[in-house]
C-alpha cells in the first residue's frame, strides 16, 4: 500500500510514543499522530510521508478514549509546553511509568526494580518559575506568552494553569507598562529591540518574588516599571536587569544589574532555607522536589560517613542530606553556583559541608589523593547523563553506593549499562515533577555488587 501526503486514512491508536504522540499502524507502516490516545479510532490527514513511517493530523475522532479529558488551557493545541493535558492525570502517570519501563527493557535492565511513580494531589499551578518571551507579531503588535511548539513564534497566553498564579498577574502588568511607556521589544529577525524576556521566580514557602528583565542592551529603561510593580506587588523583594546581547537562543546573559532589593529571594525545601539568585538552578516544582529529596536521603541511608554530591548546583540535594553523613563534598563546574552553595550551607548552619568548583572527575581525584574516599555518591547530571570519564572514575574508585537523579531516562539506562560490571540497581522511584508534560524524574539506588553474588542489574 502506498502512503501519500495529504491523503486521509482511518486508523486505530495502539500505543503512545516518547513524545506523547499516538501511534497507529497500517500494513506495517507506522504513523505518529499528535494528541491521539490509545484505544481511539481516528480519521487523519497524512502531513508527512517517509518510506517506513509518517506523521498524521487528527481530522475527526470517531471513537474517543475513555481517558480523554478536556484540556484546561485554551492554548493547548498551539503552545509548546504541556502535551498531555488531554489525558486523565492518573493515566499520565501510567504513561510515564511505562515509558521508563520500556527503556529499561530495551537496555536489558530489570524493570521490576522500578517500584512506583509519585504524582501530585493537585497537579496545577506548580511551577515556581515562569519565563515570558517578548516579541512582535505579524501585525506589529507587542506580544508575550509562550513559544509555540518547535518554533519561536510567541503565543499570547493570558492564563497558564501550571504557573504560579501571581506570575501571570505580574507579567500582565509589565506588558501593559511596556506598551504605555513605549519601550521596544526584541525582534529576532532584525536583532533589534530592548526587552527580550521577563522571568519571574516565586518562593512557594516564603511568597517572596523576583523579577528579571532580560534586555538587549546595557541601558536601563526600567526604573519607572520597577517602581510601579514593586508598589503594586508588595511581595516582589528584588528586581534584576540581565544583559543578553548575543544572537543565540540562550535566555540569560552573563551580567546582572541590580535594580531593586538585594538580588535574591529565599525559599525552603523541608526545613532548609535556600537563596535563589537570577542565575541559580532551582527545581521548578517545590512540592514534588521535597518528596524527591526525602527519597534521596532515604536511599543515601545513615551509614554514609563521606558523601559526594556531583553536579551539586547551589547545594540543595547535598544540604538536604547533610544530616545523614559525617562529611559532605559538593562539586559543580559553575563557580557562581558553588559560591551560592557555600552561602546556603552558611545560612542553614551546616558545618560538615565542603563545596568545590571544577570538573567532577578532576575534583574527585584530588579528594582521593587527600585520602578522602566516598561511601556514597549522589549524581544529578544534565540531560546528556554522566560523562564517560565519571563512569570510569566510579568503576575505578568503587564507592559502595550511587544515588542517581535523572531527568532523561534514556541516558540513565545507558549509564546503568556501562556500570553493569560492578554495580546493580537496588530500587528506582519515579517522581512527576512536570505534570501534563511527557517528562518525569527517575531516582535510582545503585549499589556495588558483592563478590560471588548474582548481579541483579540485568534480567535473565
Amino acid at each position: 500500500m502506498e502512503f501519500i501526503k495529504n491523503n486521509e486514512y482511518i486508523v486505530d491508536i495502539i500505543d503512545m510514543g516518547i513524545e506523547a504522540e499516538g501511534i497507529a499502524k497500517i500494513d506495517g507502516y507506522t504513523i505518529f499522530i499528535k494528541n491521539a490516545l490509545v484505544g481511539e479510532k481516528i480519521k487523519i490527514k497524512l502531513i508527512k510521508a517517509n518510506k517506513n513511517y509518517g506523521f498524521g493530523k487528527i481530522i475527526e475522532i470517531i471513537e474517543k478514549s475513555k481517558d480523554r479529558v478536556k484540556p484546561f488551557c485554551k492554548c493547548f493545541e498551539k503552545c509548546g509546553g504541556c502535551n498531555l493535558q488531554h489525558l486523565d492525570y492518573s493515566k499520565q502517570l501510567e504513561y510515564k511509568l511505562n515509558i521508563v519501563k520500556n527503556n529499561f527493557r530495551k537496555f536489558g535492565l530489570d524493570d521490576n526494580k522500578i517500584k512506583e511513580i509519585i504524582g501530585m494531589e493537585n497537579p496545577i499551578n506548580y511551577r515556581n518559575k515562569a519565563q515570558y518571551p517578548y516579541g512582535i507579531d505579524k501585525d506589529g503588535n507587542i506580544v508575550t506568552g509562550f513559544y509555540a511548539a518547535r518554533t519561536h513564534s510567541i503565543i499570547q497566553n493570558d492564563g497558564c494553569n501550571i504557573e504560579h498564579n501571581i506570575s501571570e498577574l505580574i507579567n500582565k502588568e509589565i506588558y501593559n507598562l511596556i506598551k504605555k511607556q513605549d519601550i521596544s521589544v526584541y525582534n529576532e529577525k532584525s536583532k533589534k529591540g530592548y526587552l527580550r524576556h521577563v522571568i519571574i521566580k516565586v518562593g512557594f514557602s516564603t511568597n517572596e518574588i523576583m523579577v528579571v528583565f532580560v534586555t538587549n542592551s546595557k541601558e536601563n529603561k526600567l526604573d519607572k516599571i520597577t517602581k510601579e510593580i514593586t508598589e503594586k506587588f508588595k511581595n516582589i523583594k528584588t528586581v534584576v536587569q540581565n544583559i543578553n546581547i548575543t544572537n543565540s537562543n540562550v535566555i540569560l546573559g552573563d551580567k546582572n544589574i541590580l535594580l531593586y532589593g538585594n538580588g535574591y529571594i529565599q525559599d525552603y525545601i523541608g526545613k532548609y532555607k535556600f537563596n535563589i539568585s537570577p542565575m541559580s538552578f532551582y527545581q521548578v516544582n517545590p512540592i514534588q522536589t521535597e518528596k524527591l529529596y526525602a527519597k534521596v536521603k532515604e536511599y543515601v541511608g545513615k551509614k554514609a560517613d563521606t558523601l559526594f554530591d556531583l553536579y551539586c548546583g547551589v547545594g540543595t540535594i547535598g544540604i538536604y542530606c547533610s544530616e545523614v553523613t559525617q562529611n559532605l563534598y559538593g562539586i559543580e563546574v559553575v563557580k557562581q553556583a558553588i559560591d551560592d552553595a557555600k552561602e546556603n550551607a552558611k545560612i542553614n548552619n551546616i558545618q560538615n559541608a565542603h563545596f568545590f568548583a571544577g570538573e567532577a572527575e578532576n575534583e574527585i581525584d584530588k579528594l582521593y589523593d587527600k585520602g578522602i574516599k566516598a561511601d556514597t555518591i549522589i549524581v544529578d547530571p544534565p540531560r546528556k547523563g554522566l560523562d564517560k570519564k565519571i563512569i570510569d572514575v566510579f568503576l575505578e574508585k568503587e564507592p559502595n553506593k550511587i544515588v542517581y537523579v535523572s531527568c532523561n531516562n534514556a541516558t540513565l539506562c545507558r549509564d546503568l549499562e556501562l556500570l553493569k560490571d560492578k554495580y546493580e540497581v537496588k530500587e528506582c522511584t519515579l517522581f512527576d515533577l512536570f505534570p501534563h508534560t511527557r517528562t518525569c524524574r527517575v531516582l535510582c539506588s545503585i549499589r556495588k555488587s558483592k563478590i560471588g553474588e548474582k548481579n541483579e542489574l540485568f534480567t535473565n
Side-chain angles (χ1 to χ4, degrees):
M1 183 176 180
E2 184 179 4
F3 293 90
I4 301 172
K5 181 180 178 180
N6 294 326
N7 277 9
E8 296 181 1
Y9 303 89
I10 294 177
V11 298
D12 295 313
I13 307 303
I14 59 173
D15 202 356
M16 289 180 68
I18 60 173
E19 299 290 337
E21 73 279 39
I23 298 175
K25 287 184 181 291
I26 305 176
D27 295 338
Y29 188 82
T30 303
I31 305 174
F32 301 96
I33 304 111
K34 181 181 177 182
N35 297 339
L37 298 177
V38 173
E40 294 186 326
K41 183 180 290 292
I42 294 177
K43 178 187 284 189
I44 67 165
K45 175 186 282 189
L46 198 63
I47 57 176
K48 187 174 182 179
N50 296 322
K51 182 178 179 181
N52 298 314
Y53 65 93
F55 297 90
K57 178 181 179 180
I58 296 175
I59 296 176
E60 176 189 356
I61 300 177
I62 299 169
E63 295 179 10
K64 185 185 296 187
S65 167
K66 60 181 176 56
D67 300 321
R68 180 177 285 276
V69 297
K70 183 179 179 180
F72 51 74
C73 177
K74 64 182 181 181
C75 295
F76 169 69
E77 294 285 346
K78 299 178 180 179
C79 180
C82 306
N83 54 2
L84 279 175
Q85 278 189 29
H86 60 308
L87 180 62
D88 178 80
Y89 184 61
S90 65
K91 296 300 179 180
Q92 291 184 30
L93 298 179
E94 287 184 19
Y95 162 76
K96 296 180 185 188
L97 187 63
N98 287 334
I99 287 290
V100 178
K101 282 180 171 286
N102 286 339
N103 264 336
F104 264 55
R105 289 192 288 267
K106 286 178 184 177
F107 279 83
L109 303 170
D110 184 359
D111 66 302
N112 290 315
K113 299 296 183 179
I114 302 172
K115 298 305 179 184
E116 61 178 332
I117 180 168
I118 297 176
M120 296 190 72
E121 293 180 9
N122 187 25
I124 59 171
N125 301 124
Y126 61 82
R127 285 186 62 94
N128 57 16
K129 176 184 175 183
Q131 298 180 156
Y132 301 100
Y134 275 70
I136 302 293
D137 68 13
K138 61 182 181 180
D139 298 318
N141 300 311
I142 294 175
V143 291
T144 181
F146 303 98
Y147 289 126
R150 295 181 177 85
T151 77
H152 267 215
S153 297
I154 298 173
I155 303 298
Q156 190 86 23
N157 191 345
D158 295 326
C160 176
N161 286 346
I162 67 169
E163 311 283 5
H164 192 291
N165 287 325
I166 195 66
S167 300
E168 181 65 33
L169 294 175
I170 294 172
N171 189 55
K172 192 171 185 178
E173 181 69 15
I174 291 170
Y175 173 75
N176 290 332
L177 291 170
I178 289 292
K179 292 198 297 181
K180 179 181 178 181
Q181 297 182 25
D182 198 26
I183 293 176
S184 65
V185 300
Y186 188 65
N187 185 316
E188 287 197 344
K189 292 182 179 179
S190 68
K191 312 300 181 186
K192 295 180 180 180
Y194 183 72
L195 182 65
R196 299 178 70 144
H197 278 80
V198 169
I199 300 172
I200 299 170
K201 297 186 178 186
V202 183
F204 271 42
S205 298
T206 62
N207 290 319
E208 295 183 357
I209 300 168
M210 170 188 292
V211 176
V212 181
F213 293 99
V214 183
T215 63
N216 189 38
S217 165
K218 296 178 182 179
E219 184 180 359
N220 177 11
K221 301 180 180 180
L222 301 165
D223 285 342
K224 288 184 179 180
I225 292 178
T226 297
K227 183 176 185 297
E228 293 204 35
I229 63 173
T230 52
E231 288 178 352
K232 183 168 184 175
F233 300 96
K234 300 300 184 182
N235 286 349
I236 295 179
K237 300 302 180 184
T238 193
V239 180
V240 176
Q241 179 185 2
N242 176 268
I243 314 301
N244 183 2
I245 58 175
T246 65
N247 296 329
S248 71
N249 292 332
V250 176
I251 293 176
L252 289 170
D254 296 329
K255 184 178 181 181
N256 293 308
I257 299 172
L258 185 61
L259 303 179
Y260 177 82
N262 55 17
Y264 65 87
I265 59 173
Q266 293 185 321
D267 199 18
Y268 285 86
I269 302 177
K271 64 182 180 181
Y272 298 100
K273 183 189 293 185
F274 296 98
N275 286 351
I276 304 169
S277 67
M279 312 296 284
S280 296
F281 171 78
Y282 190 77
Q283 295 284 0
V284 299
N285 186 334
I287 296 170
Q288 291 296 88
T289 296
E290 186 171 351
K291 297 175 185 178
L292 170 64
Y293 284 12
K295 183 62 75 170
V296 171
K297 183 187 289 186
E298 177 187 319
Y299 282 176
V300 170
K302 297 182 178 180
K303 296 181 181 180
D305 291 335
T306 303
L307 175 65
F308 287 4
D309 179 16
L310 308 188
Y311 311 93
C312 71
V314 297
T316 53
I317 296 180
I319 288 172
Y320 193 95
C321 295
S322 60
E323 64 184 13
V324 295
T325 184
Q326 293 298 313
N327 287 287
L328 164 69
Y329 296 87
I331 301 171
E332 165 65 49
V333 71
V334 180
K335 185 181 183 302
Q336 180 60 55
I338 288 298
D339 292 341
D340 291 343
K342 290 177 179 178
E343 182 63 24
N344 285 328
K346 182 178 179 181
I347 64 178
N348 286 286
N349 195 29
I350 305 299
Q351 304 293 325
N352 63 338
H354 317 273
F355 293 100
F356 304 91
E359 298 286 350
E361 61 271 18
N362 297 333
E363 297 304 317
I364 289 176
D365 281 338
K366 292 177 185 178
L367 290 171
Y368 271 78
D369 288 343
K370 295 177 182 178
I372 302 170
K373 300 180 180 180
D375 301 298
T376 300
I377 296 181
I378 299 171
V379 292
D380 185 8
R383 290 189 59 80
K384 66 180 181 180
L386 297 176
D387 191 282
K388 181 60 165 59
K389 293 178 182 178
I390 294 292
I391 297 287
D392 292 339
V393 167
F394 290 168
L395 295 175
E396 176 190 352
K397 307 298 185 185
E398 297 186 11
N400 292 323
K401 189 184 296 183
I402 301 167
V403 180
Y404 195 136
V405 184
S406 172
C407 60
N408 183 344
N409 65 87
T411 54
L412 166 68
C413 291
R414 178 205 66 198
D415 293 343
L416 293 177
E417 199 276 337
L418 293 172
L419 289 165
K420 68 179 182 180
D421 289 341
K422 293 188 177 180
Y423 288 91
E424 62 188 12
V425 174
K426 184 178 179 182
E427 182 178 296
C428 288
T429 304
L430 277 57
F431 293 84
D432 189 24
L433 267 67
F434 311 101
H436 312 298
T437 77
R438 63 181 177 82
T439 59
C440 67
R441 287 285 187 268
V442 183
L443 175 63
C444 281
S445 175
I446 306 163
R447 67 183 179 186
K448 189 166 65 174
S449 302
K450 295 179 180 178
I451 297 175
E453 182 180 275
K454 176 181 175 290
N455 190 325
E456 299 175 355
L457 180 59
F458 287 83
T459 56
N460 291 328

